[in-house]
Amino acid sequence: MAIDAGDTAFIIICTAMVMLMTPGVGLFYGGMVRSKNIISMIAMAFISFAVVSIQWVTIGYTLSFGSDISGFIGGLDHLCLAGVGLDGNGIPDMLFMVFQLVFAGVTLAILTSGVAERVKLSSFMVLGVLWTTIVYDPLAHWAWGGGWAGELGALDFAGGTVVHISSGFGALALALVIGNRVGFGKYSMEAENITTTLLGGAMLWFGWFAFNAGSALAADGIAVNALVVTNVSAAAGAITWMLASWIKGKPSSLGLISGAVAGLVAITPASGFVGPMAAIIIGGSAGLLCYGALLFRVQKGLDESLDAWAVHGMGGFWGAIATGIFASAAVGGTDGLIYGNTHQFLIQFFDASVAMIYAFVMTYIIAIVIDKTMGLRVTEEEEYVGLDISQHGESTTA
């Protein structure tokens, strides 16, 4: 099939928009930490993108999209982008490669939630390479590269398992290994710059249009549907989280933007398979579910600092299951549970469960190995001073 100029232009634009989501994560997280760590959080997002950019073009892409090996991983036929050229089916193969690269980059940035304000920069960089290679790449292959999940019939339009379950439950595993921040539960660790978080959230909402619509890989009706359901799901999540938090106090802007992200996460796997009314239910439910998960995390005294588990992990798990409930053949060619297709629902539940277990267990093992060899955490003195100074030699104050 010849290269389509319109589709190619569309995916180039989507790639650029999705790239902005990675610094968006940095700003979103940066505003939620103490001022002595804001540079560190934003820098880790940029570092995530830089590390993944090199990992992806050397080995990550081929492990994800190379010839299938036992349904688990891709072969090395595209090592260092061998055979990835400027021709392709509709869009150039090289463009598809870089579109997938920006997905991998933002996923590693989300993972930083579990180690915020206490991770050694050198250890994080090593962890980033290992995690992307051992966790992200196999999950991408399972869903999109010819692996077992895709062959089974699991639906994941834009990364519910690959991006959100992996990073959310990976962050939970990291938090368990690295331990709580010094003074967690004793001293206030409230978000110090909500303005920065809101700006980051706005960048995420903007980029998510391309994240989901671009996953159609063509400027067509499915892309339009993905854009519309992305927006209404985010809006529903924002409203339900805000209303739920209002019951306990004030309708905070942090709750509003967190709910929007929950709605965005949940609609991601379903965006090519459901219509707008289902998206409102999916997003609204995600706002309530993820807010409840946050409260549960706080009640248990677990310092998964910026709630990637509550929002991305639980939101992604719900989104994968919701795809099996609300999928409509009129939109994406496959019906879900409400249309009588129980089998699809069971496939989605199984796929999400396997992804959850794999991401958690493998991340836990990687973190333990790094902690025993390099040390995952900064010293207590460095943590007290703040990572901006101790890791970067920089400060937001004069």
Side-chain angles (χ1 to χ4, degrees):
M1 181 177 177
I3 298 298
D4 185 284
D7 291 343
T8 299
F10 174 59
I11 302 302
I12 289 174
I13 293 168
C14 287
T15 301
M17 288 174 63
V18 175
M19 181 274 159
L20 277 178
M21 293 176 69
T22 300
V25 170
L27 291 169
F28 187 80
Y29 284 169
M32 289 193 283
V33 298
R34 290 165 290 181
S35 58
K36 62 184 179 181
N37 295 305
I38 186 171
I39 293 173
S40 168
M41 288 311 305
I42 298 173
M44 279 202 292
F46 281 97
I47 290 166
S48 295
F49 190 75
V51 166
V52 170
S53 291
I54 303 303
Q55 188 275 349
W56 192 254
V57 300
T58 53
I59 194 165
Y61 180 74
T62 194
L63 292 179
S64 300
F65 294 97
S67 55
D68 179 61
I69 299 177
S70 302
F72 179 78
I73 197 70
L76 299 180
D77 37 323
H78 297 312
L79 185 67
C80 295
L81 301 187
V84 181
L86 301 181
D87 54 356
N89 184 14
I91 65 172
D93 293 339
M94 189 72 77
L95 178 57
F96 175 76
M97 180 280 299
V98 74
F99 182 64
Q100 293 298 328
L101 182 157
V102 293
F103 274 61
V106 74
T107 307
L108 181 58
I110 295 167
L111 187 71
T112 61
S113 167
V115 293
E117 302 195 289
R118 58 205 189 276
V119 69
K120 287 171 59 178
L121 181 60
S122 57
S123 298
F124 172 72
M125 293 177 69
V126 173
L127 183 144
V129 174
L130 293 177
W131 189 86
T132 304
T133 304
I134 296 171
V135 178
Y136 183 89
D137 295 346
L139 286 170
H141 183 75
W142 297 357
W144 302 326
W148 69 265
E151 290 300 307
L152 186 64
L155 304 177
D156 189 351
F157 191 72
T161 56
V162 183
V163 175
H164 300 298
I165 288 178
S166 70
S167 59
F169 283 91
L172 178 62
L174 284 179
L176 290 172
V177 173
I178 201 169
N180 291 355
R181 288 169 289 181
V182 175
F184 178 77
K186 297 180 181 179
Y187 310 112
S188 173
M189 294 186 179
E190 297 293 326
E192 290 205 7
N193 195 330
I194 300 297
T195 302
T196 300
T197 295
L198 292 174
L199 177 60
M203 291 174 64
L204 289 174
W205 198 328
F206 172 75
W208 228 294
F209 290 131
F211 194 87
N212 288 350
S215 293
L217 299 178
D220 59 12
I222 295 297
V224 174
N225 181 83
L227 185 147
V228 172
V229 299
T230 296
N231 191 59
V232 296
S233 182
I239 291 169
T240 57
W241 187 310
M242 183 186 71
L243 292 176
S245 65
W246 203 342
I247 296 173
K248 296 179 68 67
K250 298 289 186 180
S252 73
S253 59
L254 182 58
L256 179 75
I257 196 63
S258 297
V261 173
L264 290 165
V265 167
I267 199 61
T268 293
S271 54
F273 305 108
V274 304
M277 297 305 105
I280 293 174
I281 298 172
I282 292 171
S285 300
L288 297 175
L289 171 67
C290 295
Y291 179 60
L294 181 152
L295 296 178
F296 175 81
R297 191 269 301 171
V298 172
Q299 180 186 20
K300 294 300 180 180
L302 174 63
D303 191 12
E304 198 286 281
S305 317
L306 308 177
D307 286 301
W309 170 73
V311 175
H312 294 272
M314 295 304 295
F317 194 89
W318 159 242
I321 295 173
T323 304
I325 297 173
F326 297 103
S328 169
V331 177
T334 302
D335 279 330
L337 183 64
I338 63 171
Y339 298 104
N341 189 355
T342 305
H343 182 64
Q344 188 63 50
F345 172 77
L346 295 175
I347 288 175
Q348 295 300 119
F349 184 82
F350 178 73
D351 178 40
S353 299
V354 173
M356 173 187 68
I357 295 169
Y358 180 82
F360 179 85
V361 171
M362 296 309 298
T363 306
Y364 193 91
I365 293 172
I366 293 169
I368 287 288
V369 170
I370 292 176
D371 193 42
K372 297 297 184 183
T373 54
M374 298 178 63
L376 191 59
R377 185 169 183 153
V378 297
T379 66
E380 187 171 332
E381 181 181 357
E382 289 173 322
E383 185 176 342
Y384 176 78
V385 171
L387 271 59
D388 290 359
I389 292 176
S390 69
Q391 300 298 296
H392 300 280
E394 298 169 318
S395 174
T396 56
T397 59

